[in-house]
């Protein structure tokens, strides 16, 4: 896995707004880093350009903003390029006396990984001198192969830079290459400097110090944007069981320093949390597996994972699209992982009650009451085989929290949902295997999210293998994750 520097775009500077050009050879999949150095009497963070992501900003140097004096701000924005990128416009507010802004874009390529990850740290040097040193109080994780994009901003346009460096305890950085050293004479002046390098060895969580040698004494700010090839991946696997359920796997969490994960099912623009998969602490874990047994039928859906790393930054990754199909309507207990094929027999007649009291006030009828209840009904369904009838009885006999999940063969939002069961009546036919069930239900909420949906169990493994050696034979080479991802229903 290797991150390589691509090329640098041309420098662009002005008083309030710039549109720096994309680097030559910029293409889809590359990561573009937009570095900005700015100065303003109110010291604002530059506005994020359309389509770009804010990656970090800090101001430093001390003193009052003025000509060749006072703080300057270093800001990073990032964007994974697509096929039709245009040059971004980045600006600071108008009306600042002596305001100044400068920007450049740099491109990077990766040899592997599933995407890009970054983290940032900033520091300042408030002691004027030619030996610039800005120690950050923010710790970053470092591993071999990480790339450091180092940006400097000082108020003295004539102070040329050399010997740019980054240090962190226990971390060895390779050659640091200067990419820009621009004198900015717009407004009250600044110096725009960029350097890049990579971690050659060592790993750990350390706060970096950014250094350089200046040709003239100055103060200023510096920041590092740490780039890494993402290792986290996400897949959703339909399992060969009835009712259908999907296994969602999120892997490679350790390589991206992921501390928390939330999984969601997405249908159109609607996000629904996956059971027992919101704000899961995965510190020290490389894998998070969850089962979704509540997805709609006949509707394309995908899964997304919101990943929170140790620096508090969030990333979103997606699975491929799945469409779960069945040949009937389904009543299930998705927590236990069991269900039955049914046919709904009659229209649902929703009854909603309301506690109310009538008053006759001088001939005027006044009704005072509470909100009406959730709808209740007698749901009549038919099973067509003894196996289906027995399966429905098994579902109803021990419903989790007394709540059943009803789903149409092709999802119908006004009917699909969760129902609390109060009574049921079974009416078998004399002449065939048909049975009718009258279910007294009231619409309700889903099971508590802390109840995790059941997946394949140890009994499923036992049903497929007679000895541990048989398991080892089928999963060699392999590990427990391979077993967890295996479809024992196939």
């Amino acid at each position: 896995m290797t991150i390589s520097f691509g090329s640098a775009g041309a420098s662009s500077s002005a008083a309030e707004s710039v549109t720096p050009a994309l680097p030559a050879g910029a293409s889809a999949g590359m990561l573009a880093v937009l570095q900005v150095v700015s100065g303003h009497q109110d010291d604002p963070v530059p506005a994020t350009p359309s389509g770009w992501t804010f990656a970090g900003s800090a101001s430093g140097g001390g003193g009052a903003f003025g000509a060749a004096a006072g703080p300057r701000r270093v800001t990073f924005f990032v964007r994974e390029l697509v096929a039709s990128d245009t040059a971004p416009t980045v600006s600071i507010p108008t009306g600042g006396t002596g305001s100044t802004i400068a920007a450049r874009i740099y491109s990077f390529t990766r040899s592997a990984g599933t995407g890009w990850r970054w983290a940032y740290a900033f520091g300042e040097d408030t002691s004027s001198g030619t030996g610039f040193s800005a120690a950050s109080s923010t710790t970053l994780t470092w591993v071999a192969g990480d790339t450091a994009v180092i940006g400097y901003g000082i108020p003295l346009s004539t102070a040329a830079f050399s010997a740019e460096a980054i240090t962190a305890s226990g971390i060895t950085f390779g050659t640091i290459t200067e990419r820009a050293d621009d004198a900015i004479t717009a407004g009250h002046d600044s110096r725009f400097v960029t350097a890049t390098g990579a971690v050659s060895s060592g790993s750990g969580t350390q706060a970096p110090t950014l250094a350089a040698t200046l040709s003239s004494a100055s103060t200023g700010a510096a920041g590092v944007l740490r780039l890494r090839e993402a290792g986290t991946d996400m897949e959703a696997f339909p399992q060969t069981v009835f009712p259908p359920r999907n296994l969602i796997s999120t892997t490679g969490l350790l390589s991206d320093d992921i501390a928390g994960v939330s999984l969601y099912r997405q249908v159109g623009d609607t996000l629904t949390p996956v059971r027992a998969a919101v704000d899961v602490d995965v510190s020290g874990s490389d894998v998070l597996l969850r089962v979704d047994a509540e997805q709609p039928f006949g509707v394309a859906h995908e899964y997304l994972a919101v990943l929170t790393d140790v620096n508090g930054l969030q990333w979103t990754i997606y699975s491929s699209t799945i469409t779960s199909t069945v040949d009937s309507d389904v009543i299930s207990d998705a927590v236990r992982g069991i269900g039955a094929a049914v046919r709904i027999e009659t229209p649902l007649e929703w009854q909603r009650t309301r506690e109310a009291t009538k008053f006759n006030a001088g001939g005027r009828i006044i009704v005072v009451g509470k909100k009406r209840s959730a709808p209740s009904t007698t749901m009549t369904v038919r099973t067509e085989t003894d196996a289906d009838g027995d399966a429905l009885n098994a579902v109803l006999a021990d419903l989790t929290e007394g709540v059943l999940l009803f789903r149409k063969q092709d999802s119908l939002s006004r009917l699909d949902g969760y129902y609390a069961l109060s009574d049921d009546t079974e009416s078998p036919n004399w002449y065939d295997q048909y049975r009718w069930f009258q279910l007294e239900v009231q619409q309700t909420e889903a099971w508590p999210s802390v109840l995790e949906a059941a997946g394949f169990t140890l009994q499923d493994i036992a049903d497929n293998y007679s000895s541990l050696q048989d398991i080892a034979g089928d999963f060699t080479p392999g590990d427990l994750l391979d077993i967890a991802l295996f479809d024992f229903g196939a």
Side-chain angles (χ1 to χ4, degrees), residues 244-305:
R245 61 182 185 230
N246 299 324
L247 175 66
I248 305 103
S249 74
T250 310
T251 57
L253 302 175
L254 289 175
S255 64
D256 291 345
D257 304 318
I258 303 303
V261 177
S262 292
L263 302 180
Y264 299 89
R265 181 194 329 117
Q266 181 167 6
V267 180
D269 295 328
T270 302
L271 292 181
T272 303
V274 173
R275 181 161 301 285
V278 175
D279 296 329
V280 180
D281 184 352
V282 295
S283 301
S285 300
D286 197 45
V287 177
L288 176 67
L289 300 177
R290 286 295 185 269
V291 172
D292 182 23
E294 297 164 277
Q295 74 277 16
F297 299 140
V299 175
H301 53 278
E302 63 182 351
Y303 295 90
L304 64 88

Side-chain angles (χ1 to χ4, degrees), residues 304-369:
L304 64 88
V306 178
L307 315 173
T308 304
D309 67 20
V310 293
N311 299 303
L313 299 176
Q314 290 193 327
W315 317 91
T316 302
I317 58 176
Y318 296 85
S319 74
S320 56
T321 299
I322 292 176
T323 301
S324 301
T325 58
V326 290
D327 296 328
S328 64
D329 304 327
V330 175
I331 289 177
S332 64
D333 182 335
V335 173
R336 295 166 58 208
I338 62 174
V342 302
R343 299 288 182 183
I344 192 164
E345 280 286 285
T346 59
L348 297 183
E349 296 182 355
W350 294 121
Q351 181 182 15
R352 297 174 175 88
T353 60
R354 182 171 183 260
E355 293 183 23
T357 303
K358 295 181 181 180
F359 299 91
N360 188 329
R364 181 183 178 190
I365 301 300
I366 299 174
V367 179
V368 179

Side-chain angles (χ1 to χ4, degrees), residues 128-149:
S128 182
T130 57
F132 185 94
S133 180
S136 173
S137 60
T138 301
T139 60
L140 301 178
T141 61
W142 301 96
V143 296
D146 285 350
T147 287
V149 182

Side-chain angles (χ1 to χ4, degrees), residues 40-410:
H40 189 280
Q41 62 189 25
D42 299 325
D43 197 21
V45 176
T48 303
S50 176
W52 288 70
T53 299
F54 173 75
S57 181
S59 175
F65 177 67
R72 294 297 184 267
R73 177 174 289 276
V74 177
T75 304
F76 293 111
F77 301 100
V78 295
R79 174 177 171 81
E80 184 169 352
L81 297 176
V82 295
S84 56
D85 291 284
T86 57
T89 296
V90 59
S91 61
I92 53 178
T94 59
T97 300
S99 64
T100 177
I101 184 171
R104 271 184 186 255
I105 301 175
Y106 305 96
S107 64
F108 296 85
T109 61
R110 57 183 173 85
S111 63
T114 58
W116 294 93
R117 297 288 182 267
W118 55 83
Y120 57 85
F122 291 92
E124 65 174 335
D125 187 343
T126 57
S127 178
S128 182
T130 57
F132 185 94
S133 180
S136 173
S137 60
T138 301
T139 60
L140 301 178
T141 61
W142 301 96
V143 296
D146 285 350
T147 287
V149 182
I150 311 165
Y152 304 82
I154 66 171
L156 191 62
S157 64
T158 57
F161 273 63
S162 62
E164 294 91 345
I166 178 173
T167 57
S169 179
I171 310 300
T172 301
F173 292 87
T175 302
I176 303 298
T177 303
E178 185 180 89
R179 303 298 181 181
D181 189 359
D182 303 328
I184 308 301
T185 57
H188 280 333
D189 291 2
S190 62
R191 192 82 182 185
F192 180 107
V193 180
T194 311
T196 63
V199 175
S200 57
S201 63
S203 64
T205 303
Q206 304 292 342
T209 295
L210 311 171
T213 299
L214 281 58
S215 61
S216 301
S218 184
T219 61
V224 57
L225 187 67
R226 189 219 65 202
L227 305 182
R228 183 178 295 173
E229 294 173 303
T232 312
D233 198 9
M234 181 184 188
E235 293 186 81
F237 306 93
Q239 297 183 306
T240 52
V241 293
F242 182 87
R245 61 182 185 230
N246 299 324
L247 175 66
I248 305 103
S249 74
T250 310
T251 57
L253 302 175
L254 289 175
S255 64
D256 291 345
D257 304 318
I258 303 303
V261 177
S262 292
L263 302 180
Y264 299 89
R265 181 194 329 117
Q266 181 167 6
V267 180
D269 295 328
T270 302
L271 292 181
T272 303
V274 173
R275 181 161 301 285
V278 175
D279 296 329
V280 180
D281 184 352
V282 295
S283 301
S285 300
D286 197 45
V287 177
L288 176 67
L289 300 177
R290 286 295 185 269
V291 172
D292 182 23
E294 297 164 277
Q295 74 277 16
F297 299 140
V299 175
H301 53 278
E302 63 182 351
Y303 295 90
L304 64 88
V306 178
L307 315 173
T308 304
D309 67 20
V310 293
N311 299 303
L313 299 176
Q314 290 193 327
W315 317 91
T316 302
I317 58 176
Y318 296 85
S319 74
S320 56
T321 299
I322 292 176
T323 301
S324 301
T325 58
V326 290
D327 296 328
S328 64
D329 304 327
V330 175
I331 289 177
S332 64
D333 182 335
V335 173
R336 295 166 58 208
I338 62 174
V342 302
R343 299 288 182 183
I344 192 164
E345 280 286 285
T346 59
L348 297 183
E349 296 182 355
W350 294 121
Q351 181 182 15
R352 297 174 175 88
T353 60
R354 182 171 183 260
E355 293 183 23
T357 303
K358 295 181 181 180
F359 299 91
N360 188 329
R364 181 183 178 190
I365 301 300
I366 299 174
V367 179
V368 179
K370 299 179 180 179
K371 291 182 178 181
R372 67 177 185 169
S373 69
S376 59
T377 190
T378 299
M379 178 185 292
T380 302
V381 299
R382 181 185 80 238
T383 60
E384 299 182 347
T385 68
D386 282 339
D388 289 338
D390 292 345
L392 182 54
N393 270 317
V395 173
L396 302 178
D398 193 20
L399 279 172
T400 302
E401 300 286 333
V403 174
L404 61 84
L405 172 61
F406 177 79
R407 287 172 288 176
K408 287 287 293 176
Q409 179 178 351
D410 293 306

